[in-house]
Amino acid sequence: MSAITFRLPNPPIPPSSSSEPTLRLSSPHLLIPHHGATVQAMRSRQLRSMLCVLEPDLVRRCAQSRRSARVVCLSALGEVIGEVNERAAERKKRVEVVTAAAMTVALGTGNRVLYKLALVPLKHYPFFLAQLATFGYVLVYFSILYCRYQAGIVTDEMLSLPKTPFLAVGLLEALGAACGMAAGAVLSGASIPILSQTFLVWQLLLSVTFLGRRYRANQLLGCLLITAGVLITVASGSGGLSLKDAGIFWTLLMITSFFFQAADTVLKEIIFLDTSRQLKAGSVDLFVVNSFGSAFQAIFICLLLPFLSKLWGVPFSQLPMYIKDGTACFLNMGSLASECAGAPLLPLLFVMVNMAYNISLLHLLKISSAVVSCLASTFSVPLSIYAFTLPLPYIGVASSLPAGFVSGAAILLAGLLVYTWTPTSYLASQEARSTPSPLTQS
């Protein structure tokens, strides 16, 4: 077996005149097997640089005891290789989270805009659009789940997981939708985005309670600034709120709906964390969670249909006729075709983007946390407000930019920067915590 030899002399090594650090190869003080992966890692520029930075420390440790020099140096070299791999994995995960968050923000903005566009042809059938999305997701999600199962991505072990957590997910989503529909029928459109900022508060409280998360002061301050920025952005163009006119009951009911939605996302994060420890193949596939959660949600929605249809002004006895007329308008057929310009293109675009947004949001939740996914969703609010100032089709005259939009967006961005900033003291404490204890000298 061939070997690479490193010489670590006792006296300090003068700095090299070349721009790139080098290692001296001469004396058999340290023998490393000639493995392909090891040699490739050792030949990398970053590893050589880190070894040269650590070389004086290695020299002192090796000089103290010649008998343990090989063990000490080999252990230190292994620590360096592990640190390089760990840092590379952290950078890769950071890039993945940022990319997923950017995708979620873009899809969240498109989701809000397309929902408004989809209601142009279906202005008399919003309840039909909501149920189309709910039951359409079940069919699409299970179709994707079947394809992923055939491809081997979804395993039998994932499908055999207990369904009780998924049932709880479906119940929370159905309760959130029911409370939101009930309160949304009474509250003004301007007040709902403002009350939706309680979603972030619920996320933080539930994450601390059930996940044991501890947030730094800058993270809490960042969340506060983000919420304030969204409130300023939305309230500046609302022309006055009607929370007092609507009554405290409907306001609290809307806040409760966001509690159910926050509990739903935290429960999904718990499912991902638990299954990552239970399954041999790692965490459960997100389409397993989406499919079974949507199926149970559809079941609970069916049970709540008499209540929900009444909230939307559709008597339960007239629901079949309402669904029939809504389908005709959606397909842009029959006598309703003249009143449904833009269908079925706009509703289909909304359903597709909404589905992609939910998948992206769940993927971000899986690789990060419920709070990060909530922040990405919140960030899409001012972007969608700005999008409505553009000349969109079917909307008519574009709305003007709210007076406080710029200041609100600036505060929101500042909050995002404060949340993502990591104090130097925190980095130092983490580095000290991860530093291995010194080896016992012989």
Side-chain angles (χ1 to χ4, degrees):
M1 177 183 296
S2 59
I4 299 177
T5 61
F6 292 81
R7 182 182 182 183
L8 297 171
N10 293 334
I13 300 176
S16 176
S17 59
S18 60
S19 59
E20 179 180 276
T22 57
L23 292 176
R24 299 188 177 185
L25 311 175
S26 59
S27 177
H29 282 183
L30 179 60
L31 300 180
I32 306 292
H34 189 85
H35 296 304
T38 305
V39 173
Q40 182 179 1
M42 291 168 58
R43 286 177 179 173
S44 68
R45 181 185 181 93
Q46 181 179 7
L47 181 56
R48 292 201 304 268
S49 300
M50 293 184 64
L51 281 174
C52 289
V53 171
L54 295 177
E55 187 175 5
D57 179 63
L58 294 181
V59 171
R60 288 193 299 269
R61 294 164 66 185
C62 292
Q64 292 174 359
S65 177
R66 295 184 179 276
R67 290 180 299 172
S68 61
R70 298 179 184 178
V71 177
V72 171
C73 296
L74 182 58
S75 175
L77 181 59
E79 293 173 5
V80 171
I81 295 175
E83 185 177 354
V84 170
N85 294 334
E86 183 178 354
R87 290 185 178 180
E90 289 179 356
R91 284 195 299 269
K92 181 179 179 181
K93 182 178 180 180
R94 190 180 300 112
V95 170
E96 185 181 3
V97 171
V98 171
T99 303
M103 181 66 68
T104 302
V105 171
L107 290 173
T109 304
N111 177 64
R112 294 175 183 272
V113 173
L114 285 172
Y115 177 70
K116 186 72 173 180
L117 292 175
L119 287 178
V120 172
L122 295 177
K123 55 182 175 294
H124 299 300
Y125 306 98
F127 183 66
F128 171 82
L129 181 61
Q131 304 317 307
L132 174 67
T134 300
F135 293 96
Y137 292 164
V138 177
L139 178 62
V140 174
Y141 284 150
F142 272 99
S143 299
I144 297 176
L145 179 65
Y146 176 77
C147 294
R148 293 174 73 85
Y149 176 75
Q150 293 296 321
I153 302 175
V154 176
T155 63
D156 293 328
E157 188 181 14
M158 294 180 185
L159 297 178
S160 62
L161 288 171
K163 301 302 184 292
T164 303
F166 303 137
L167 186 146
V169 167
L171 177 60
L172 289 173
E173 291 179 348
L175 290 176
C179 294
M181 287 183 182
V186 179
L187 296 174
S188 66
S191 63
I192 295 176
I194 293 179
L195 293 176
S196 68
Q197 301 314 303
T198 59
F199 182 78
L200 180 58
V201 178
W202 291 126
Q203 288 275 22
L204 292 171
L205 293 176
L206 293 173
S207 296
V208 170
T209 303
F210 294 99
L211 295 174
R213 293 270 166 80
R214 293 296 179 266
Y215 295 95
R216 303 189 302 272
N218 67 291
Q219 290 178 317
L220 297 176
L221 177 60
C223 290
L224 179 63
L225 290 175
I226 290 172
T227 302
V230 174
L231 291 177
I232 293 174
T233 303
V234 176
S236 60
S238 63
L241 302 179
S242 59
L243 293 178
K244 293 182 179 179
D245 298 336
I248 189 64
F249 172 78
W250 300 107
T251 301
L252 292 177
L253 187 62
M254 179 60 74
I255 293 176
T256 303
S257 74
F258 292 116
F259 166 78
F260 287 131
Q261 296 176 36
D264 169 53
T265 56
V266 171
L267 177 58
K268 288 178 180 178
E269 185 177 357
I270 293 175
I271 291 174
F272 285 127
L273 293 174
D274 289 344
T275 54
S276 64
R277 294 188 291 264
Q278 298 173 4
L279 299 177
K280 298 178 181 178
S283 183
V284 63
D285 188 78
L286 61 90
F287 282 97
V288 175
V289 179
N290 257 349
S291 300
F292 287 102
S294 298
F296 285 116
Q297 180 191 7
I299 292 175
F300 287 115
I301 288 292
C302 288
L303 298 176
L304 293 173
L305 268 181
F307 170 72
L308 295 177
S309 63
K310 185 178 180 180
L311 289 175
W312 285 90
V314 182
F316 186 69
S317 59
Q318 300 179 12
L319 188 60
M321 182 60 66
Y322 176 87
I323 297 296
K324 179 182 177 181
D325 292 341
T327 303
C329 183
F330 171 74
L331 298 176
N332 203 358
M333 297 173 57
S335 59
L336 298 176
S338 59
E339 302 177 4
C340 304
L345 178 60
L346 294 179
L348 280 178
L349 282 176
F350 162 70
V351 172
M352 292 171 60
V353 172
N354 183 260
M355 188 178 304
Y357 168 65
N358 288 328
I359 294 173
S360 176
L361 195 64
L362 189 60
H363 173 67
L364 180 60
L365 171 67
K366 181 178 180 180
I367 64 176
S368 59
S369 67
V371 173
V372 173
S373 63
C374 175
L375 292 176
S377 178
T378 301
F379 195 75
S380 65
V381 175
L383 293 180
S384 60
I385 293 176
Y386 174 77
F388 284 117
T389 64
L390 303 176
L392 299 173
Y394 298 98
I395 291 293
V397 180
S399 59
S400 59
L401 199 64
F405 179 85
V406 176
S407 58
I411 295 175
L412 189 149
L413 287 175
L416 191 62
L417 292 176
V418 170
Y419 181 87
T420 56
W421 172 66
T422 304
T424 306
S425 58
Y426 177 79
L427 288 176
S429 63
Q430 290 294 102
E431 183 177 354
R433 188 177 302 175
S434 61
T435 301
S437 58
L439 294 174
T440 304
Q441 299 177 358
S442 59

